[in-house]
């Protein structure tokens, strides 16, 4: 499996760079969920990060890399959006 060093912005992982596995297309997942265990033994708190472009090339506007930004609402990503499904 191939991985890529990806920076995290905002939230508890602000400023950290973690190695994230990339898929068959060479892109990291759209959402990254970080479960943090509760000290009292309750359900873990889940922090959600969304993938955004880290920068673009000057001439063609191609994406040069990815970074994850903290999503304070914390809604996990939905599955694939099929053209025949109603939403």
């Amino acid at each position: 499996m191939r991985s890529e060093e990806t920076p995290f912005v905002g939230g508890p992982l602000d400023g950290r760079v973690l190695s994230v596995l990339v898929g068959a297309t060479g892109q990291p997942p759209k959402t990254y969920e970080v479960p943090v265990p509760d000290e009292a033994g309750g359900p873990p708190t889940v922090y959600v990060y969304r993938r955004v472009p880290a920068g673009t090339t000057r001439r063609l506007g191609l994406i040069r890399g990815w970074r994850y930004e903290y999503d304070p609402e914390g809604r996990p990503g939905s599955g694939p959006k099929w053209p025949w499904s109603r939403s």
Side-chain angles (χ1 to χ4, degrees):
M1 295 299 269
R2 190 171 152 244
S3 62
E4 164 178 308
E5 297 294 319
T6 309
F8 285 77
V9 178
L13 295 180
D14 189 24
R16 294 190 185 180
V17 177
L18 299 178
S19 181
V20 176
L21 292 175
V22 295
T25 60
Q27 295 184 0
K30 290 183 180 179
T31 59
Y32 193 83
E33 298 177 9
V34 181
V36 177
D38 187 37
E39 294 177 4
T45 303
V46 178
Y47 296 110
V48 178
Y49 286 84
R50 303 256 179 237
R51 183 186 72 186
V52 295
T56 57
T57 59
R58 296 175 76 174
R59 196 168 218 185
L60 298 176
L62 301 174
I63 296 172
R64 292 196 71 160
W66 300 99
R67 71 176 182 204
Y68 283 103
E69 288 187 356
Y70 178 63
D71 183 11
E73 294 178 7
R75 288 180 283 152
S78 60
K81 295 185 172 130
W82 303 105
W84 55 82
S85 64
R86 297 179 189 245
S87 52

